[in-house]
PDB file of all heavy atoms in Angstrom:
ATOM      1  N   PHE V 653     -30.000  11.824 -38.650  1.00 85.00           N
ATOM      2  CA  PHE V 653     -29.534  12.181 -37.304  1.00 85.00           C
ATOM      3  C   PHE V 653     -28.012  12.211 -37.192  1.00 85.00           C
ATOM      4  O   PHE V 653     -27.476  12.509 -36.131  1.00 85.00           O
ATOM      5  CB  PHE V 653     -30.080  11.186 -36.275  1.00 85.00           C
ATOM      6  CG  PHE V 653     -31.512  11.426 -35.889  1.00 85.00           C
ATOM      7  CD1 PHE V 653     -32.517  10.583 -36.330  1.00 85.00           C
ATOM      8  CD2 PHE V 653     -31.855  12.505 -35.091  1.00 85.00           C
ATOM      9  CE1 PHE V 653     -33.836  10.808 -35.981  1.00 85.00           C
ATOM     10  CE2 PHE V 653     -33.170  12.735 -34.729  1.00 85.00           C
ATOM     11  CZ  PHE V 653     -34.167  11.886 -35.171  1.00 85.00           C
ATOM     12  N   VAL V 654     -27.334  11.921 -38.288  1.00 86.00           N
ATOM     13  CA  VAL V 654     -25.870  11.805 -38.234  1.00 86.00           C
ATOM     14  C   VAL V 654     -25.207  13.122 -37.860  1.00 86.00           C
ATOM     15  O   VAL V 654     -24.296  13.160 -37.017  1.00 86.00           O
ATOM     16  CB  VAL V 654     -25.317  11.272 -39.575  1.00 86.00           C
ATOM     17  CG1 VAL V 654     -23.800  11.454 -39.645  1.00 86.00           C
ATOM     18  CG2 VAL V 654     -25.666   9.802 -39.732  1.00 86.00           C
ATOM     19  N   LEU V 655     -25.640  14.243 -38.464  1.00 91.00           N
ATOM     20  CA  LEU V 655     -25.032  15.537 -38.136  1.00 91.00           C
ATOM     21  C   LEU V 655     -25.254  15.897 -36.671  1.00 91.00           C
ATOM     22  O   LEU V 655     -24.341  16.408 -36.005  1.00 91.00           O
ATOM     23  CB  LEU V 655     -25.619  16.628 -39.037  1.00 91.00           C
ATOM     24  CG  LEU V 655     -25.221  16.556 -40.522  1.00 91.00           C
ATOM     25  CD1 LEU V 655     -25.903  17.667 -41.321  1.00 91.00           C
ATOM     26  CD2 LEU V 655     -23.709  16.658 -40.678  1.00 91.00           C
ATOM     27  N   LEU V 656     -26.452  15.645 -36.180  1.00 90.00           N
ATOM     28  CA  LEU V 656     -26.743  15.907 -34.766  1.00 90.00           C
ATOM     29  C   LEU V 656     -25.858  15.043 -33.869  1.00 90.00           C
ATOM     30  O   LEU V 656     -25.264  15.538 -32.899  1.00 90.00           O
ATOM     31  CB  LEU V 656     -28.224  15.630 -34.482  1.00 90.00           C
ATOM     32  CG  LEU V 656     -28.679  15.843 -33.028  1.00 90.00           C
ATOM     33  CD1 LEU V 656     -28.817  17.320 -32.729  1.00 90.00           C
ATOM     34  CD2 LEU V 656     -30.011  15.130 -32.768  1.00 90.00           C
ATOM     35  N   GLU V 657     -25.773  13.751 -34.185  1.00 86.00           N
ATOM     36  CA  GLU V 657     -25.018  12.826 -33.336  1.00 86.00           C
ATOM     37  C   GLU V 657     -23.515  13.092 -33.384  1.00 86.00           C
ATOM     38  O   GLU V 657     -22.830  12.935 -32.375  1.00 86.00           O
ATOM     39  CB  GLU V 657     -25.297  11.383 -33.761  1.00 86.00           C
ATOM     40  CG  GLU V 657     -26.708  10.923 -33.422  1.00 86.00           C
ATOM     41  CD  GLU V 657     -26.958   9.477 -33.813  1.00 86.00           C
ATOM     42  OE1 GLU V 657     -26.207   8.971 -34.668  1.00 86.00           O
ATOM     43  OE2 GLU V 657     -27.893   8.872 -33.287  1.00 86.00           O
ATOM     44  N   MET V 658     -23.028  13.506 -34.554  1.00 87.00           N
ATOM     45  CA  MET V 658     -21.586  13.695 -34.708  1.00 87.00           C
ATOM     46  C   MET V 658     -21.118  15.054 -34.194  1.00 87.00           C
ATOM     47  O   MET V 658     -20.189  15.133 -33.385  1.00 87.00           O
ATOM     48  CB  MET V 658     -21.207  13.545 -36.179  1.00 87.00           C
ATOM     49  CG  MET V 658     -19.713  13.664 -36.451  1.00 87.00           C
ATOM     50  SD  MET V 658     -18.758  12.256 -35.838  1.00 87.00           S
ATOM     51  CE  MET V 658     -19.021  11.106 -37.184  1.00 87.00           C
ATOM     52  N   PHE V 659     -21.763  16.144 -34.625  1.00 92.00           N
ATOM     53  CA  PHE V 659     -21.236  17.484 -34.380  1.00 92.00           C
ATOM     54  C   PHE V 659     -21.947  18.265 -33.275  1.00 92.00           C
ATOM     55  O   PHE V 659     -21.468  19.324 -32.869  1.00 92.00           O
ATOM     56  CB  PHE V 659     -21.257  18.290 -35.680  1.00 92.00           C
ATOM     57  CG  PHE V 659     -20.443  17.664 -36.764  1.00 92.00           C
ATOM     58  CD1 PHE V 659     -21.050  17.067 -37.861  1.00 92.00           C
ATOM     59  CD2 PHE V 659     -19.057  17.619 -36.679  1.00 92.00           C
ATOM     60  CE1 PHE V 659     -20.301  16.464 -38.855  1.00 92.00           C
ATOM     61  CE2 PHE V 659     -18.297  17.020 -37.670  1.00 92.00           C
ATOM     62  CZ  PHE V 659     -18.914  16.437 -38.765  1.00 92.00           C
ATOM     63  N   VAL V 660     -23.069  17.757 -32.791  1.00 92.00           N
ATOM     64  CA  VAL V 660     -23.749  18.403 -31.665  1.00 92.00           C
ATOM     65  C   VAL V 660     -23.569  17.578 -30.388  1.00 92.00           C
ATOM     66  O   VAL V 660     -23.441  18.120 -29.300  1.00 92.00           O
ATOM     67  CB  VAL V 660     -25.254  18.595 -31.959  1.00 92.00           C
ATOM     68  CG1 VAL V 660     -25.959  19.226 -30.762  1.00 92.00           C
ATOM     69  CG2 VAL V 660     -25.446  19.467 -33.187  1.00 92.00           C
ATOM     70  N   ILE V 661     -23.521  16.251 -30.556  1.00 90.00           N
ATOM     71  CA  ILE V 661     -23.455  15.369 -29.383  1.00 90.00           C
ATOM     72  C   ILE V 661     -22.094  14.681 -29.257  1.00 90.00           C
ATOM     73  O   ILE V 661     -21.395  14.837 -28.254  1.00 90.00           O
ATOM     74  CB  ILE V 661     -24.587  14.306 -29.450  1.00 90.00           C
ATOM     75  CG1 ILE V 661     -25.954  14.991 -29.455  1.00 90.00           C
ATOM     76  CG2 ILE V 661     -24.469  13.342 -28.284  1.00 90.00           C
ATOM     77  CD1 ILE V 661     -27.116  14.049 -29.699  1.00 90.00           C
ATOM     78  N   GLY V 662     -21.711  13.897 -30.277  1.00 84.00           N
ATOM     79  CA  GLY V 662     -20.548  13.012 -30.176  1.00 84.00           C
ATOM     80  C   GLY V 662     -19.236  13.703 -29.875  1.00 84.00           C
ATOM     81  O   GLY V 662     -18.660  13.531 -28.789  1.00 84.00           O
ATOM     82  N   LEU V 663     -18.733  14.481 -30.830  1.00 87.00           N
ATOM     83  CA  LEU V 663     -17.432  15.135 -30.651  1.00 87.00           C
ATOM     84  C   LEU V 663     -17.433  16.150 -29.507  1.00 87.00           C
ATOM     85  O   LEU V 663     -16.521  16.135 -28.666  1.00 87.00           O
ATOM     86  CB  LEU V 663     -17.010  15.808 -31.966  1.00 87.00           C
ATOM     87  CG  LEU V 663     -16.595  14.847 -33.097  1.00 87.00           C
ATOM     88  CD1 LEU V 663     -16.312  15.626 -34.378  1.00 87.00           C
ATOM     89  CD2 LEU V 663     -15.363  14.038 -32.691  1.00 87.00           C
ATOM     90  N   PRO V 664     -18.434  17.047 -29.425  1.00 91.00           N
ATOM     91  CA  PRO V 664     -18.430  18.008 -28.309  1.00 91.00           C
ATOM     92  C   PRO V 664     -18.454  17.337 -26.936  1.00 91.00           C
ATOM     93  O   PRO V 664     -17.749  17.762 -26.023  1.00 91.00           O
ATOM     94  CB  PRO V 664     -19.711  18.825 -28.544  1.00 91.00           C
ATOM     95  CG  PRO V 664     -19.967  18.717 -30.003  1.00 91.00           C
ATOM     96  CD  PRO V 664     -19.528  17.333 -30.371  1.00 91.00           C
ATOM     97  N   SER V 665     -19.267  16.282 -26.794  1.00 87.00           N
ATOM     98  CA  SER V 665     -19.364  15.628 -25.479  1.00 87.00           C
ATOM     99  C   SER V 665     -18.029  15.012 -25.081  1.00 87.00           C
ATOM    100  O   SER V 665     -17.645  15.041 -23.905  1.00 87.00           O
ATOM    101  CB  SER V 665     -20.457  14.559 -25.493  1.00 87.00           C
ATOM    102  OG  SER V 665     -20.125  13.509 -26.381  1.00 87.00           O
TER     103      SER V 665
END
Side-chain angles (χ1 to χ4, degrees):
F653 281 107
V654 167
L655 291 178
L656 179 76
E657 290 182 340
M658 182 70 82
F659 300 108
V660 178
I661 299 173
L663 289 175
S665 65

